[in-house]
């Protein structure tokens, strides 16, 4: 098994590698057999932090949610590798009209469902998938706190909270003596920087939170795969990606990524991830893969050392 550098998730005591693997692909773009081989390879290469959610992959035709957790659970049972991974999942996105939000009774039901699908008795990081403004923060935090006391969850995190609500939740935990969110999962990449850098980052740094950002490759745009409008045909999501990212600024970012990549004999993907890994507030960007070759590419991204000048060149190219 490869030895990867690790970082701590907030104050949780949980050590993770420099990249998080996004389990949204399991049961969606990769079938069960491929998922098993990807999970085996991830552990072997030292990328042992797996992030999923109860809602993955409800959006795919014929799915109802829970598919990703179910596949991971079957792999855990078959491989016996539960102790080799750090396992993160989430609650709160709508699975059905009555299965949504962060009310204590629902969290209690959802965690049991996730534990059953994952075939484990503990979740390492259990995250609120999005803020639930209809439920008082203190009620949600008390529910999470009791799961930690019962040993069903090791640490909790927040995804898709704004800076004000995140700080409020942290203040409540401190005041009430409850477990606190140790991690934040925001959208962040070289193109989408504004929301994180303008408020959330300060909250994360001030409170010593771990940050595991999603869309770290801007849905694949930062791989350099979509450089002209006709490239939209390269994937099912291509049209939306081209419409959102392929503009003057997007092209400038790709050019800078490829420029830096050329001097390292690396890919644009590796440079885009290395830029995030180098940002002091980021713990482990979330990224997915659908083939073993892509996993090898991710490993190289964790080994890539960018110079201060290269980091600044990329930041400057991506200025709005």
């Amino acid at each position: 098994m490869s030895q990867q550098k690790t970082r701590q998730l907030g104050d949780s005591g949980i050590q993770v590698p420099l990249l998080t693997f996004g389990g949204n692909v399991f049961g969606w773009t990769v079938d069960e057999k491929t998922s098993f081989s990807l999970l085996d390879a991830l552990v072997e290469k030292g990328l042992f932090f797996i992030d999923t959610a109860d809602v993955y992959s409800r959006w795919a035709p014929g799915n109802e949610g829970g598919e990703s957790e179910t596949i991971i659970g079957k792999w855990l049972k078959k491989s016996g590798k539960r102790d080799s991974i750090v396992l993160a999942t989430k609650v709160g996105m709508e699975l059905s009209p009555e299965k949504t939000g962060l009310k204590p009774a629902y969290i209690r039901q959802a965690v049991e469902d996730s534990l059953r699908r994952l075939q484990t008795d503990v979740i390492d990081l259990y995250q609120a998938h999005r803020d639930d403004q209809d439920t008082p923060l203190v009620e949600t935090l008390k529910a999470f706190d009791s799961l930690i006391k019962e040993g069903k969850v090791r640490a909790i995190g927040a995804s898709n909270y704004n800076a004000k609500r995140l700080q409020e939740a942290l203040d409540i935990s401190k005041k009430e003596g409850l477990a606190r969110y140790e991690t934040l999962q925001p959208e962040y990449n070289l193109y989408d920087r504004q929301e994180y850098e303008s408020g959330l980052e300060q909250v994360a740094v001030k409170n010593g939170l771990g940050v595991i950002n999603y869309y770290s490759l801007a849905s694949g745009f930062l791989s350099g795969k979509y450089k002209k409008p006709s490239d939209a045909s390269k994937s099912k999501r291509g049209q939306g990606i081209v419409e959102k990212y392929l503009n003057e600024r997007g092209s400038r970012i790709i050019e800078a990524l490829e420029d830096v990549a050329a001097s390292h004999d690396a890919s644009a993907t590796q440079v885009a991830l290395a830029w995030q890994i180098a940002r002091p507030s980021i713990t482990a960007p979330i990224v997915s893969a659908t083939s073993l070759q892509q996993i090898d590419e991710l490993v190289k991204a964790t080994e890539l050392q960018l110079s201060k000048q290269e980091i600044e060149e990329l930041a400057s190219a991506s200025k709005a």
Side-chain angles (χ1 to χ4, degrees):
M1 192 195 293
S2 304
Q3 264 310 106
Q4 281 270 353
K5 275 190 207 150
T6 60
R7 292 172 173 173
Q8 183 164 279
L9 281 179
D11 287 333
S12 68
I14 299 170
Q15 295 287 330
V16 295
L18 305 186
L19 285 176
T20 311
F21 190 83
N24 61 327
V25 292
F26 302 140
W28 174 32
T29 48
V30 292
D31 61 16
E32 187 175 298
K33 186 173 176 235
T34 310
S35 300
F36 281 21
S37 66
L38 290 174
L39 285 159
D40 285 334
L42 287 163
V43 170
E44 190 191 320
K45 310 272 185 188
L47 295 177
F48 54 83
F49 185 23
I50 314 296
D51 175 74
T52 186
D54 57 4
V55 78
Y56 297 166
S57 48
R58 185 184 174 213
W59 55 83
N63 284 1
E64 52 188 33
E67 289 79 14
S68 173
E69 287 185 337
T70 299
I71 285 175
I72 293 168
K74 286 181 180 174
W75 172 78
L76 286 174
K77 188 176 183 193
K78 184 181 175 210
S79 68
K81 289 180 181 167
R82 177 63 186 95
D83 293 342
S84 304
I85 65 163
V86 172
L87 184 55
T89 191
K90 312 182 199 75
V91 57
M93 290 284 193
E94 185 175 311
L95 272 168
S96 68
E98 67 284 351
K99 291 185 172 181
T100 185
L102 298 172
K103 290 199 169 12
Y106 176 56
I107 289 175
R108 172 73 50 188
Q109 176 194 346
V111 78
E112 295 301 340
D113 289 344
S114 285
L115 288 166
R116 188 186 71 251
R117 285 189 291 261
L118 290 163
Q119 303 198 45
T120 185
D121 50 11
V122 63
I123 291 162
D124 297 310
L125 177 66
Y126 198 39
Q127 301 157 97
H129 206 156
R130 67 168 172 215
D131 190 5
D132 174 4
Q133 307 251 359
D134 297 328
T135 304
L137 287 164
V138 69
E139 286 185 17
T140 296
L141 290 161
K142 278 180 176 168
F144 281 140
D145 185 74
S146 65
L147 295 180
I148 291 176
K149 289 197 169 91
E150 289 163 33
K152 291 178 176 174
V153 169
R154 287 176 68 197
I156 56 171
S159 179
N160 300 306
Y161 275 57
N162 66 35
K164 183 172 177 287
R165 289 278 290 179
L166 179 60
Q167 185 59 60
E168 208 178 310
L170 293 164
D171 292 342
I172 287 170
S173 290
K174 194 171 182 179
K175 182 169 167 251
E176 303 287 336
L178 299 168
R180 68 164 201 162
Y181 290 138
E182 291 294 349
T183 58
L184 167 66
Q185 189 168 140
E187 178 177 2
Y188 185 62
N189 57 60
L190 256 172
Y191 189 101
D192 301 293
R193 295 173 57 185
Q194 175 62 22
E195 191 179 353
Y196 176 67
E197 292 182 15
S198 67
L200 282 164
E201 185 170 33
Q202 289 89 314
V203 175
V205 171
K206 181 177 132 189
N207 295 280
L209 304 189
V211 178
I212 48 178
N213 52 299
Y214 66 88
Y215 285 169
S216 56
L217 292 173
S219 303
F221 175 74
L222 297 176
S223 68
K225 187 168 148 183
Y226 306 93
K227 290 185 197 166
K228 50 189 189 299
S230 58
D231 289 338
S233 62
K234 288 186 175 177
S235 73
K236 285 179 189 164
R237 304 184 296 173
Q239 192 56 44
I241 294 168
V242 162
E243 283 169 13
K244 181 174 178 185
Y245 296 110
L246 190 59
N247 49 42
E248 192 191 335
R249 180 167 163 257
S251 299
R252 203 167 62 228
I253 293 170
I254 297 299
E255 203 177 306
L257 282 170
E258 292 185 335
D259 181 41
V260 172
S263 60
H264 285 275
D265 194 20
S267 66
T269 293
Q270 289 163 345
V271 174
L273 293 172
W275 181 84
Q276 291 166 63
I277 290 168
R279 190 168 189 92
S281 69
I282 297 290
T283 310
I286 300 171
V287 68
S288 293
T290 54
S291 70
L292 298 175
Q293 292 87 333
Q294 286 174 335
I295 289 178
D296 288 335
E297 187 176 15
L298 298 183
V299 170
K300 289 185 185 138
T302 66
E303 296 161 354
L304 184 57
Q305 296 285 325
L306 301 180
S307 69
K308 195 172 173 214
Q309 188 185 341
E310 287 167 333
I311 290 167
E312 282 166 8
E313 184 187 325
L314 291 163
S316 157
S318 72
K319 277 203 168 72

